[in-house]
Amino acid sequence: MKILVVGSGGREHAISWKLAQSDSVDEVICVPGNGGTATEAKCRNINPADCDYTVDLKGIDAVSQVASFEQVDMVVVGPENPLAEGIADQIWQCRIPVVGPKFKGAELEASKDTAKSFMKKYGVASAASETFTDAESAAAYIKKHGAPIVIKADGLAAGKGVVVAPDEKTALAAVKDFMQDNTLGKAGSKLVIEDYLQGVEISVMAAVSVTPELAAAGKACILPFVPARDHKRLLDGAKGPNTGGMGAVTPLSDVTDEQMKLFDENIVQPTLKGLIAEKWDYRGFIFFGVMLCKDGPKLLEYNVRLGDPETQALLPLMDCDFAEMCTAIADVQQTGTLKAFAPKFKWKKGFVCSPVAVSGGYPAAYEKGKEIHLPETKDAAVKIFIAGADYSKDDKQKLVTTGGRVLAASAFGDSFEKAYELAYKTMEKISFDKMFYRKDIGLPGAAESGEL
Ligand code: AMP
Ligand code: GLY
């Protein structure tokens, strides 16, 4: 089987690596991939910008062209942007199976207002909210409601669209920023304003295979993964500015079975009911961003893809054939293959700790082009996933930084302590100029408490 993976981050390196481990996979084509996928076994990077057969094509059109030209058997989409642009609809039209929801389902991430309406309509536990399309009514609501309060830009904003405001002044400034100064462009022209939730956050991904045909046959399916946690703040102890994620850990010993039961009852099942009732074609992954509150888990957001950096921790823990799982999700014949796959869906007994190394200065301005030195490691419990790094154009042997989040060092251990120790021992052997990483991924006190 030949599989095309869309994306260029650490998540896509992890996806490609896990797919390549399957005996059924001959080749993984990474579009465009990065310095990690460039040297991964069975993987080949293709940048549409360098292909003579994608001339004049850009974005999702170029990716579809590569998929057709290369005659791939399946496409797995990593990031949200191509999904929001309808890449799944387009590639299914080329008769190639896709893991990733079609345009309608992708709105659950592309529009916070759509997501909140869906949550309300189907009784998914979440914070009370109102949607506004003009700054005056938004400001009046904030003054009446008081702080703390959370202001969310409706559209995709690369993690910059949410302000958790401890006071009215910050909330009003966010409204001005998004709606009057248009700092996020069109993404901020509509706002969701929601109640502040106190608690600790977890990320739960799930494999989803829902279509009207599957639903009619009673075979629509959603299979949640074990919970994971991203650490979004830059500094130890959950301090400093927000980032794209400084590391992840899975599973979580601080989450109880009772909380997971409530999560299933009040978030997962109503979501499944909603996907069926909307008659969407949702064959892909869904990500539940959850706040564990005193009165039970509440949904903060849906993402329509796997998390980054959670995937870099989850896939090394996954103890089943990921290509088989992806094929079951896409379920070309719509016979209920994901449901049939469920008994094979297993996790290794143990933990994965996956700290992320970033460029000095990140999330503000940082320099690129720093040479990365990686250790030779033959330890099967360790995997370094490359995110913002690629081979130098002048020296094809030299791996250099190209982004803020550069790599993740994922380590498996049969206890969290062992996973943590191995991950950080590996991190100490990696170097590049101005490299920075948090030292407390997965430790007590590293999770955001949600306290303002
Ligand atoms: P979102 O993109 O909606 O997940 O928001 C980004 C981050 O903002 C979340 O991961 C939370 O840390 C925080 N957040 C979002 N909504 C709320 C809320 N209602 N209460 C407290 N924190 C929130
Ligand atoms: N780790 C959060 C996300 O992928 O959106």
Side-chain angles (χ1 to χ4, degrees), residues 288-305:
F288 300 96
V290 178
M291 191 71 94
L292 298 176
C293 304
K294 276 213 181 81
D295 59 343
K298 303 244 165 75
L299 188 65
L300 295 174
E301 64 166 344
Y302 289 113
N303 293 322
V304 297
R305 49 167 174 85

Side-chain angles (χ1 to χ4, degrees), residues 217-257:
K219 288 180 173 169
C221 181
I222 184 162
L223 288 183
F225 291 14
V226 290
R229 177 170 290 130
D230 180 7
H231 297 66
K232 287 186 179 135
R233 303 287 204 97
L234 180 70
L235 306 174
D236 282 13
K239 302 215 160 58
N242 252 318
T243 70
M246 296 297 294
V249 61
T250 187
L252 304 173
S253 8
D254 60 334
V255 179
T256 65
D257 290 348

Side-chain angles (χ1 to χ4, degrees), residues 112 116 127-128 149-150 152 159 161-164 194-199 201 232 242 287 289 291 299-303 448 450:
K112 299 261 186 214
K116 286 304 298 199
I149 193 162
V150 183
K152 299 185 174 189
V162 176
V163 173
V164 179
E194 101 180 4
D195 286 5
Y196 170 73
L197 295 174
Q198 191 151 16
E201 265 182 84
K232 287 186 179 135
N242 252 318
F287 169 132
M291 191 71 94
L299 188 65
L300 295 174
E301 64 166 344
Y302 289 113
N303 293 322
E448 277 157 69

Side-chain angles (χ1 to χ4, degrees), residues 120 128-132 134-147 149-151 168 172 192-195:
K120 284 179 194 166
S129 75
E130 296 277 340
T131 297
F132 297 92
D134 73 280
E136 259 171 42
S137 328
Y141 178 78
I142 290 167
K143 284 181 189 148
K144 195 163 142 229
H145 182 285
I149 193 162
V150 183
I151 318 297
E168 254 181 57
L172 294 171
V192 169
I193 303 192
E194 101 180 4
D195 286 5

